[in-house]
Amino acid sequence: MRLQQLQLLLTLAQTGSMRASAASMNVTQPALTKALKQLEDEFGAALVVRSPKGVRLAPAGEMLAARAATVVREIERARQEVAALTSDTQTTLSVGMSPAAALMLAANAVSAFQSRWPHVRVHLVDALYPKALQQLRSGELDMALGPLPPAGIGRDLQAAPLIDSPSVIVAKQGHPLAQARRLDDLSGASWLLSGPRLGPGDPVHLGFEQRGLAAPKVTVDCESFSTLLAVLPSMDTLAIVPERFYATHGPRMGLVALSLQETLPATTIHIFSRTDAPLSLPAQRLLDTFLQESTLLREASA
């Protein structure tokens, strides 16, 4: 199996055409057909389905393409790493960041890292789990920072705890419950679910049902924190957000934090990486920098 054959499969998936794929890869169509046949012979399965409209990947081709995408990305990263060691060529690290992780850790950690690795470009990606972990598994991200999913992460990923992120309940100014002091006072309220179900923004964690109260009524789902800031000041709903996120953005957007007697559950931010693909040297140093920054923050708050 050759790298070009794997690239061929990925190109066919994108173009849906042998002719367009040949042009994209700068090879002749007969050469492309021959390479595809060799790949199918090697795996003993049809990888594409041909029709008058073009070609599409067969089920076996889709499975192989998913693996091929990871292989191609890893080889490209290897090229970048070697280039970074032998020349001034810039390499890129992609890091998925939850909103709380970005506010608490990103600025100082990335600045400290780039002072030591000036030729490494850091690409910060807004990422909420479980999408962030899916992107990590596919190779789109080198690492991801965010909360640990309730179901765990599986053996293909590893996680290291960084720092706790307290949460607050927020509402628009003038909300009837803005002056509430007990969680029981919020029974019957409408909620905006920030992030995925059972994530840190799910009011199910507040324990209403354990108190003998009705389950929280979620009326709006919102995956984007920027969208949350845009809509919540005009809605009669409550939401759970990271405390640092509220302190940074909430007051100027017309939101208030409820001063409750109870302490809300804190979310621990973790840093995730793959176990089946070793980190490059720059990526490992960036991961170490995030660990060091979280240690400094914990010591400062002790």
Side-chain angles (χ1 to χ4, degrees):
M1 187 192 314
R2 297 178 180 178
L3 178 61
Q4 186 185 43
Q5 292 172 321
L6 297 181
Q7 291 172 326
L8 156 64
L9 201 63
L10 296 176
T11 305
L12 284 173
Q14 293 173 350
T15 66
S17 163
M18 293 290 287
R19 179 178 299 176
S21 296
S24 175
M25 298 183 65
N26 197 28
V27 297
T28 65
Q29 191 167 335
L32 200 68
T33 302
K34 180 179 178 181
L36 177 60
K37 184 178 185 308
Q38 290 173 339
L39 196 60
E40 290 181 321
D41 289 344
E42 182 169 349
F43 281 91
L47 301 178
V48 301
V49 177
R50 295 169 175 82
S51 72
K53 296 182 179 180
V55 297
R56 60 177 176 84
L57 295 188
E62 291 177 350
M63 294 177 62
L64 180 57
R67 299 287 185 180
T70 299
V71 170
V72 170
R73 276 193 288 265
E74 289 299 320
I75 291 177
E76 179 58 30
R77 285 177 181 166
R79 288 198 181 106
Q80 291 181 355
E81 291 166 22
V82 172
L85 292 174
T86 58
S87 68
D88 290 338
T89 302
Q90 190 177 63
T91 186
T92 299
L93 296 177
S94 295
V95 184
M97 304 287 295
S98 72
L103 287 167
M104 300 178 75
L105 295 163
N108 289 342
V110 173
S111 178
F113 171 79
Q114 291 197 311
S115 68
R116 304 184 190 102
W117 295 81
H119 300 303
V120 177
R121 180 175 180 175
V122 180
H123 180 206
L124 300 178
V125 181
D126 288 336
L128 296 175
Y129 79 86
K131 292 180 180 178
L133 301 188
Q134 294 169 359
Q135 292 172 298
L136 183 59
R137 288 186 169 97
S138 70
E140 296 173 61
L141 299 175
D142 293 282
M143 64 191 72
L145 282 74
L148 188 71
I153 56 174
R155 296 181 179 180
D156 59 331
L157 299 180
Q158 55 192 353
L162 294 177
I163 194 168
D164 287 341
S165 171
S167 298
V168 294
I169 297 174
V170 298
K172 71 176 185 179
Q173 292 180 2
H175 191 287
L177 295 173
Q179 303 302 317
R181 293 295 177 264
R182 299 171 60 247
L183 277 173
D184 288 4
D185 297 335
L186 308 183
S187 177
S190 296
W191 291 85
L192 180 149
L193 173 60
S194 56
R197 183 176 175 273
L198 298 181
D202 192 337
V204 71
H205 298 305
L206 299 177
F208 288 112
E209 292 177 276
Q210 289 85 341
R211 297 166 182 260
L213 302 172
K217 180 175 63 176
V218 174
T219 57
V220 179
D221 296 296
C222 186
E223 295 187 3
S224 165
F225 274 74
S226 59
T227 302
L228 180 150
L229 287 174
V231 302
L232 194 60
S234 302
M235 303 177 69
D236 287 324
T237 55
L238 306 178
I240 303 172
V241 301
E243 185 179 71
R244 183 68 66 88
F245 178 83
Y246 166 75
T248 303
H249 302 293
R252 64 183 177 84
M253 296 299 293
L255 299 178
V256 295
L258 276 59
S259 298
L260 301 175
Q261 297 175 0
E262 298 90 346
T263 300
L264 301 189
T267 299
T268 300
I269 296 172
H270 290 69
I271 187 164
F272 303 94
S273 59
R274 290 166 53 191
T275 57
D276 61 347
L279 290 173
S280 66
L281 180 59
Q284 183 61 56
R285 293 297 175 262
L286 179 57
L287 187 148
D288 293 341
T289 305
F290 279 118
L291 291 171
Q292 292 165 5
E293 178 62 19
S294 66
T295 300
L296 291 174
L297 286 175
R298 289 197 304 270
E299 291 175 348
S301 62

